[in-house]
Amino acid sequence: MEIARYLTGQLAQVPGLEVTTMPDGMIPSWYGLTATYRPGELGGLPIERFHQALIAEGATEFDRPGSTCPMNQLPLYQHPASLFPGHPHSHRRYQAGDFPVAEHVHAHTTKLSVWHREQDLELAEQYVRAAIKISDHHKELQ
């Protein structure tokens, strides 16, 4: 829990990242910390480039959501007839743009493991330093 608190507090101060803080008295139950990427704070730097730079700095636990995408992006919802042939609603297909808020959130989210052992604090500090470095040098990444 201490490392989660540390990561939340430190990453919330990094331009380009917005981390949701836990309300007082709440204890987090997650193993991954999500942050919303704000490209406008970094001169429009695409999240893909930001993420690549983090990986290049060795911060390989920063990740982009994959299978946790909006439902309309999953094959089942794009082509339901292949799984449910003859179903009366198998004609209904979801397309990109059908859920713009969910799609925007997914496109601007990065996540990071939350370590829990006391000796992992040094690792968490390395990840914070990597995020700060990328944020500070975003103009060089354009």
Side-chain angles (χ1 to χ4, degrees), residues 68-78 94 99 102:
T68 54
C69 66
M71 290 175 37
N72 63 311
Q73 295 179 355
L74 296 172
L76 170 62
Y77 294 94
Q78 293 178 353
Y94 293 96
F99 300 100

Side-chain angles (χ1 to χ4, degrees), residues 24-37:
D24 287 339
M26 300 297 289
I27 299 173
S29 62
W30 29 255
Y31 59 90
L33 174 69
T34 59
T36 302
Y37 180 67

Side-chain angles (χ1 to χ4, degrees), residues 21-61:
T21 57
M22 294 294 295
D24 287 339
M26 300 297 289
I27 299 173
S29 62
W30 29 255
Y31 59 90
L33 174 69
T34 59
T36 302
Y37 180 67
R38 302 287 185 211
E41 295 178 9
L42 299 180
L45 181 70
I47 191 171
E48 294 81 8
R49 186 70 183 110
F50 183 82
H51 183 244
Q52 289 170 349
L54 288 167
I55 300 303
E57 287 297 318
T60 57
E61 291 293 321

Side-chain angles (χ1 to χ4, degrees), residues 102-124:
E103 292 171 37
H104 178 83
V105 168
H106 180 257
H108 291 86
T109 297
T110 187
K111 57 187 180 168
L112 177 63
S113 297
V114 176
W115 302 279
H116 61 277
R117 301 175 306 167
E118 188 175 315
Q119 63 263 34
D120 293 331
L121 182 58
E122 184 178 329
L123 182 59

Side-chain angles (χ1 to χ4, degrees), residues 68-103:
T68 54
C69 66
M71 290 175 37
N72 63 311
Q73 295 179 355
L74 296 172
L76 170 62
Y77 294 94
Q78 293 178 353
H79 308 285
S82 58
L83 186 60
F84 301 110
H87 188 278
H89 299 292
S90 63
H91 65 281
R92 175 63 169 121
R93 296 176 56 198
Y94 293 96
Q95 304 296 319
D98 285 349
F99 300 100
V101 174
E103 292 171 37

